[in-house]
């Protein structure tokens, strides 16, 4: 399966749609969805893009979750954190990596990721 790049959009980027995830597979058109599941994931942040965001004071696309799309993940609920998953956060003004929402330790990779609405959930094993 080809590598899939996914990132969260800000609501203002797509008119009338609140929570959108951009899903890009190299060589294919960008797709938009409200939920995506990935496996074998890495969390990537472009430091150059992050510095531009800080310098200009405007968010831009520079942070992604990269993995293989289409995995089935058990314990998914319509809303909220999937069973056995932790939440990852990213704020370019506070740090250069995604971090765990509870421990604030960097999150660089995960076995599974569920991006739902504006939330990123991950499972290490």
């Amino acid at each position: 399966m080809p590598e899939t790049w996914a990132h969260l959009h800000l609501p203002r980027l797509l008119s009338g749609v609140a929570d959108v995830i951009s899903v890009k597979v190299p060589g294919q058109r960008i797709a938009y969805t409200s939920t995506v599941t990935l496996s074998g994931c890495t969390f990537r942040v472009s430091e150059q893009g992050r510095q531009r965001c800080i310098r200009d004071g405007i968010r831009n696309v520079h942070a992604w979750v990269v993995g293989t799309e289409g995995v089935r993940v058990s314990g998914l609920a319509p809303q909220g954190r999937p069973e056995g998953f932790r939440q990852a956060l990213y704020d370019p003004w506070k740090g250069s990596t995604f971090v765990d929402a509870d421990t604030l330790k960097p999150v660089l990779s995960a076995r599974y990721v569920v991006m739902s609405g504006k939330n990123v959930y991950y499972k290490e094993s």
Side-chain angles (χ1 to χ4, degrees):
M1 299 272 324
E3 182 174 83
T4 300
W5 293 61
H7 72 87
L8 305 175
H9 275 283
L10 295 176
R12 65 179 171 77
L13 294 179
L14 292 173
S15 177
V17 180
D19 298 321
V20 176
I21 299 161
S22 173
V23 179
K24 175 69 175 142
V25 176
Q28 296 180 16
R29 292 184 67 142
I30 295 174
Y32 300 97
T33 185
S34 59
T35 302
V36 66
T37 57
L38 303 168
S39 65
C41 303
T42 57
F43 293 80
R44 297 188 186 171
V45 175
S46 163
E47 186 59 26
Q48 183 177 0
R50 177 177 172 265
Q51 290 303 319
R52 185 173 56 250
C53 177
I54 292 168
R55 180 186 68 238
D56 299 342
I58 300 170
R59 288 185 181 263
N60 58 55
V61 177
H62 67 272
W64 305 268
V65 178
V66 181
T68 302
E69 184 183 7
V71 296
R72 293 195 178 270
V73 178
S74 62
L76 290 183
Q79 298 290 328
R81 184 184 300 196
E83 185 178 325
F85 280 67
R86 301 184 62 81
Q87 186 170 12
L89 303 173
Y90 175 70
D91 184 334
W93 287 277
K94 293 184 179 178
S96 61
T97 64
F98 285 81
V99 297
D100 183 274
D102 296 325
T103 66
L104 300 181
K105 291 183 180 177
V107 178
L108 304 176
S109 63
R111 184 169 181 189
Y112 299 110
V113 168
V114 175
M115 297 174 77
S116 181
K118 60 184 175 189
N119 298 300
V120 178
Y121 303 107
Y122 73 99
K123 190 173 191 177
E124 294 173 329
S125 58

